[in-house]
Amino acid sequence: MEKKGSITVFLALILSILLSLVSASIQSVQAAATRTQILNGMDIGLYSLFGQYDRSLLRDYDLFFLDGTQGGTELNLAAVYDNLESYIKPVLKQNGRKLRIKQGGFTGYRLATDQNGEVFYHQAVSYMKDTLGSQGVQVLLKRMKEKEEKTKKAEEDGKSTENGETLKNYDSEMNNAFNKSKEAEENAKTEETKKDDGNNGADFESGDAEDEFSDGESNNAKNPIPAIKKIRTMSILDLVVPPVKGISDVQISTKDFVSKRNIQKGMSMPGDPTEDSSQSSQLLFQKYLTDRLGNYQKPASSGLQYQQEYILGAEDNDRANLRIVANRLIMIREGINAAYLMSDPAKRAQMHALALGIASAFLVPPAAFIIEGALLLCWAFAESVLDVRELFHGGKVPIVKSAATWQVSLENIPHLLENLDSQRKTNENGMSYEDYLQVLLMTKSKKEKLDRGMDMIEVSIREKKGRDSFRLDCCIEAIEASVDVSSSRKKVFNVTRQYSYI
């Protein structure tokens, strides 16, 4: 009997241990199942919440952002969380479990404008990388780099040409010559009065002192410099913009732009994008902007019509931004055209002969060098007006001119305004207005393009029906949410999950 009793006690001890293990395993499985159900609820809630992305931003700009205002006018995180919780609760009720959210909230979130717009920038660049691929990026980079180097040097040359005070020096020489001629004329009249032996004075009138001269071969020719000086006082847009197309008069208030106002900040969370200032990324972002923002040739339907020009000019109206672009194009083309004139022996000979004729007519042969410089500037400017006018008409202009592509002759410069459209011509191998815009945009910093690009996207969305209070700093790109869920056993589970569009 003792032997049987000892065996029963042993088995009882073994069974109690086994029952404890089974009970612990069941509780562990129940806890794991509960946690899994809560995690599933969080995932479904976040997926459902972020499935409510802004349709306008996706349709027009290929961007994924959640409207943090939830239909209001200000960032409303409480409403966003309530929306998230409404998707979590049905999942917690499944499988007969009595799970209840005790408390919850966001432990982190990213807005489109966070990190100085890096969140917005990163999403736009990622889209372009997926669209173009690595090979397309390299081709684009090489092509734009070549154009940038040529036009950058041309603009520098144009500024150098304009800043040389060529026309001021010319005016000074002409005034000196005119004063000397008047003095000689007065002296001659004095002598005539005294000796009455004929008129030996100079033959100049103040009204046409610069206009007529002898070219040294008894042929009368027109001095083109006064005509160009008058043209240069005109509005540049009147010279280059086609009258039939006109210019947009849209003007908007910029005080509530992203780049002007104090914007809201998100809450830092793991996975925040790092700053990307690589040249390839900046070029991809610029390509993104030029593909989606309007310009003079392809005006936007809302907001400012010339949005790419706004990035360059940052003015509150289309006309002012277009004027800034036109002046820069004139400067670029002037540098290119002046360089060509200097390299062409035949045209240099024409300018030299004409300068000598003007200098001889004014009896100031030493001023021929200054006059030749003024002729070069005026001729390059006249050619540039035709070039830029062709660009605004939708044509193309060669990067570097040749004798075959040169348009205006020295003799026709005084009649430039009479033949603006009959003299200009396009070149299929040249650069278009939009090509030049891309090059000009490369001269702007990443911050300028990013801030002003967001300005234009924001103002365009605001003009849509019911979106007048749209703000990019209320657009959510990522969220980290945390909830405390209690079970029927009064155990509390804490779960933290995050979701991001990128």
Side-chain angles (χ1 to χ4, degrees):
M1 293 295 292
E2 288 182 7
K3 194 172 183 180
K4 290 183 179 180
S6 64
I7 292 174
T8 302
V9 171
F10 178 75
L11 287 174
L13 291 172
I14 293 297
L15 286 173
S16 65
I17 294 173
L18 288 174
L19 286 173
S20 297
L21 287 172
V22 171
S23 177
S25 298
I26 291 172
Q27 290 182 7
S28 178
V29 170
Q30 286 179 335
T34 301
R35 181 173 287 276
T36 300
Q37 188 167 333
I38 297 171
L39 287 171
N40 287 339
M42 282 286 285
D43 288 339
I44 290 173
L46 287 170
Y47 295 156
S48 301
L49 176 66
F50 278 84
Q52 301 172 32
Y53 50 81
D54 192 301
R55 270 43 176 185
S56 297
L57 280 174
L58 179 62
R59 181 179 60 252
D60 298 339
Y61 300 104
D62 297 297
L63 298 173
F64 279 99
F65 286 106
L66 174 68
D67 182 9
T69 68
Q70 295 293 285
T73 59
E74 298 290 339
L75 182 63
N76 190 343
L77 293 175
V80 176
Y81 176 76
D82 289 342
N83 194 355
L84 170 65
E85 197 174 274
S86 70
Y87 291 107
I88 298 175
K89 286 180 177 179
V91 181
L92 298 182
K93 293 179 181 179
Q94 294 175 0
N95 303 324
R97 300 185 183 279
K98 297 180 180 179
L99 300 176
R100 181 176 61 85
I101 297 177
K102 289 188 65 177
Q103 62 181 4
F106 298 139
T107 54
Y109 61 94
R110 283 198 296 266
L111 303 177
T113 53
D114 279 351
Q115 298 172 260
N116 297 318
E118 196 68 32
V119 174
F120 179 95
Y121 180 84
H122 187 69
Q123 191 170 146
V125 171
S126 296
Y127 170 79
M128 294 304 296
K129 285 181 179 177
D130 293 340
T131 303
L132 293 178
S134 58
Q135 187 173 0
V137 172
Q138 294 303 316
V139 171
L140 180 64
L141 183 62
K142 181 180 179 182
R143 184 188 309 153
M144 292 305 299
K145 192 65 179 174
E146 292 175 353
K147 291 180 180 178
E148 180 196 18
E149 291 174 353
K150 291 179 180 178
T151 53
K152 185 177 180 180
K153 184 180 185 305
E155 188 169 16
E156 291 174 353
D157 291 343
K159 289 179 180 178
S160 176
T161 302
E162 287 289 343
N163 294 335
E165 298 187 345
T166 304
L167 292 182
K168 286 185 179 179
N169 293 335
Y170 167 83
D171 289 338
S172 176
E173 289 294 335
M174 293 302 102
N175 287 335
N176 290 337
F178 179 74
N179 291 335
K180 289 179 180 179
S181 67
K182 291 296 289 183
E183 184 180 348
E185 184 177 0
E186 290 174 0
N187 291 337
K189 288 181 179 179
T190 302
E191 290 296 321
E192 180 181 4
T193 302
K194 291 180 178 180
K195 301 180 180 180
D196 194 25
D197 58 352
N199 181 17
N200 294 320
D203 191 20
F204 293 98
E205 295 293 336
S206 60
D208 58 358
E210 288 185 280
D211 290 339
E212 302 295 335
F213 67 93
S214 170
D215 61 4
E217 297 180 1
S218 301
N219 295 321
N220 291 327
K222 191 80 170 178
N223 181 356
I225 299 176
I228 292 299
K229 285 172 61 181
K230 292 177 183 177
I231 292 174
R232 285 165 64 93
T233 63
M234 297 174 59
S235 166
I236 189 65
L237 294 181
D238 291 339
L239 287 173
V240 300
V241 174
V244 293
K245 192 170 182 180
I247 300 172
S248 165
D249 290 322
V250 174
Q251 181 170 358
I252 57 177
S253 173
T254 62
K255 66 179 182 180
D256 201 33
F257 275 10
V258 174
S259 61
K260 305 292 184 181
R261 68 173 186 264
N262 292 324
I263 59 176
Q264 302 197 60
K265 305 290 185 182
M267 185 185 301
S268 180
M269 57 182 286
D272 284 345
T274 56
E275 184 177 356
D276 183 1
S277 298
S278 65
Q279 189 177 36
S280 59
S281 293
Q282 291 191 53
L283 184 59
L284 285 173
F285 182 69
Q286 178 176 307
K287 183 73 167 76
Y288 171 84
L289 292 178
T290 55
D291 285 350
R292 283 155 186 80
L293 300 185
N295 58 53
Y296 174 77
Q297 297 296 350
K298 298 176 182 177
S301 58
S302 56
L304 289 176
Q305 292 188 16
Y306 311 150
Q307 297 174 333
Q308 294 177 41
E309 287 84 348
Y310 166 78
I311 296 178
L312 293 167
E315 298 291 340
D316 64 356
N317 65 92
D318 282 326
R319 179 176 289 272
N321 289 319
L322 195 64
R323 183 185 303 111
I324 289 170
V325 172
N327 280 321
R328 290 195 65 181
L329 291 176
I330 285 286
M331 195 69 68
I332 290 171
R333 292 309 311 173
E334 196 170 336
I336 292 172
N337 294 329
Y340 170 71
L341 287 174
M342 292 295 293
S343 66
D344 188 314
K347 287 182 170 52
R348 288 197 66 178
Q350 292 181 49
M351 290 186 291
H352 183 68
L354 195 54
L356 287 176
I358 297 173
S360 298
F362 280 94
L363 306 177
V364 282
F369 178 77
I370 293 175
I371 296 172
E372 186 174 345
L375 285 173
L376 185 144
L377 174 63
C378 291
W379 201 356
F381 178 82
E383 183 74 7
S384 300
V385 169
L386 296 183
D387 289 342
V388 178
R389 190 174 177 87
E390 180 63 29
L391 292 174
F392 275 89
H393 275 75
K396 295 182 177 182
V397 176
I399 298 179
V400 179
K401 286 294 182 74
S402 65
T405 56
W406 194 263
Q407 298 163 117
V408 62
S409 66
L410 194 57
E411 296 78 14
N412 285 335
I413 291 178
H415 311 290
L416 181 67
L417 295 180
E418 304 168 17
N419 305 296
L420 280 174
D421 290 324
S422 62
Q423 294 183 83
R424 63 180 177 83
K425 51 190 175 183
T426 190
N427 185 291
E428 289 303 318
N429 296 320
M431 288 174 61
S432 67
Y433 176 80
E434 291 174 308
D435 291 334
Y436 274 103
L437 275 184
Q438 290 188 18
V439 175
L440 291 177
L441 286 170
M442 292 183 74
T443 65
K444 291 297 178 181
S445 68
K446 172 187 171 181
K447 179 173 174 54
E448 288 174 316
K449 286 184 280 192
L450 181 53
D451 287 348
R452 296 171 189 177
M454 289 193 292
D455 287 344
M456 291 296 95
I457 290 175
E458 192 176 75
V459 75
S460 294
I461 296 293
R462 282 179 184 170
E463 293 201 3
K464 296 182 181 297
K465 185 177 181 180
R467 304 301 305 276
D468 55 320
S469 60
F470 173 80
R471 297 164 67 102
L472 275 171
D473 56 335
C474 292
C475 292
I476 300 173
E477 188 274 328
I479 280 177
E480 183 179 72
S482 178
V483 294
D484 291 338
V485 180
S486 63
S487 66
S488 58
R489 296 178 179 273
K490 296 183 179 180
K491 182 177 177 60
V492 177
F493 296 86
N494 175 267
V495 174
T496 300
R497 302 287 273 183
Q498 63 175 249
Y499 185 91
S500 171
Y501 281 123
I502 54 176

